[in-house]
Amino acid sequence: MTKDVLYRTTAILTGVILPIVMILFYPDMKSLSAFWETPFVSLFIIMNVVTAVFFFTLDNWRLPAILLVAVTAFPVTFFGHLHNILAISFFVSAGYAVLMSKRFSWLSIFFVFAIILSVRSLLWAEILAIDIISFYHGLVLWKREKINKKRLDNI
């Protein structure tokens, strides 16, 4: 496994696992941003930074990367409306990046479910959207590695 694959896999798993870990300890949070007010703020920051750095390496994911850094830099506790605008912009830009992708754009339809779910639970809507993004990147990584393996086998 190359360092690139290891980092991408780590970034994907970080996005899936850390929110669940945080919820196990604080199940009553209304959103992921609410973890700013808990001892898990460090996990929240690490999750966002690891993900943003990963996104910066991808051409169509630079805007979501910048927005994710901004969401992290402007916590909801102090910058309520600005933070919320940045968070919504992040999820919209990530959904758009999935929609515009050459492969697996069909995953963008699941963002509709996240939007509907947000009426009932913002936290679970955010987690669903993150899982969709993570699943997308996992599929892209799997497909890329499958193609690379096929190329190596043909040499």
Side-chain angles (χ1 to χ4, degrees), residues 60-61 64 91-112 132-133 136-137:
N60 294 333
W61 286 84
F91 284 115
V92 168
S93 67
Y96 183 76
V98 171
L99 179 64
M100 293 293 107
S101 67
K102 292 177 183 162
R103 292 192 172 101
F104 313 116
S105 61
W106 55 268
L107 283 170
S108 60
I109 192 70
F110 292 102
F111 280 96
V112 173
I132 295 164
I133 294 165
Y136 166 79
H137 285 289

Side-chain angles (χ1 to χ4, degrees), residues 4-49:
D4 178 62
V5 172
L6 181 61
Y7 182 77
R8 289 171 186 259
T9 302
T10 301
I12 291 165
L13 291 176
T14 297
V16 173
I17 295 170
L18 288 186
I20 301 304
V21 169
M22 294 187 297
I23 289 169
L24 288 174
F25 287 90
Y26 291 92
D28 297 328
M29 291 291 130
K30 294 194 183 327
S31 74
L32 286 174
S33 297
F35 284 98
W36 267 107
E37 299 176 20
T38 73
F40 282 94
V41 64
S42 298
L43 285 181
F44 177 77
I45 293 169
I46 289 168
M47 176 179 67
N48 287 354
V49 169

Side-chain angles (χ1 to χ4, degrees), residues 135-152:
F135 188 62
Y136 166 79
H137 285 289
L139 285 174
V140 169
L141 180 60
W142 171 76
K143 184 70 172 178
R144 187 187 82 170
E145 289 305 300
K146 187 175 166 184
I147 291 168
N148 286 341
K149 184 179 180 331
K150 192 178 274 189
R151 283 185 187 148
L152 288 174

Side-chain angles (χ1 to χ4, degrees), residues 122-136:
L122 181 57
L123 175 66
W124 289 106
E126 290 172 322
I127 289 173
L128 176 58
I130 290 168
D131 287 350
I132 295 164
I133 294 165
S134 298
F135 188 62
Y136 166 79

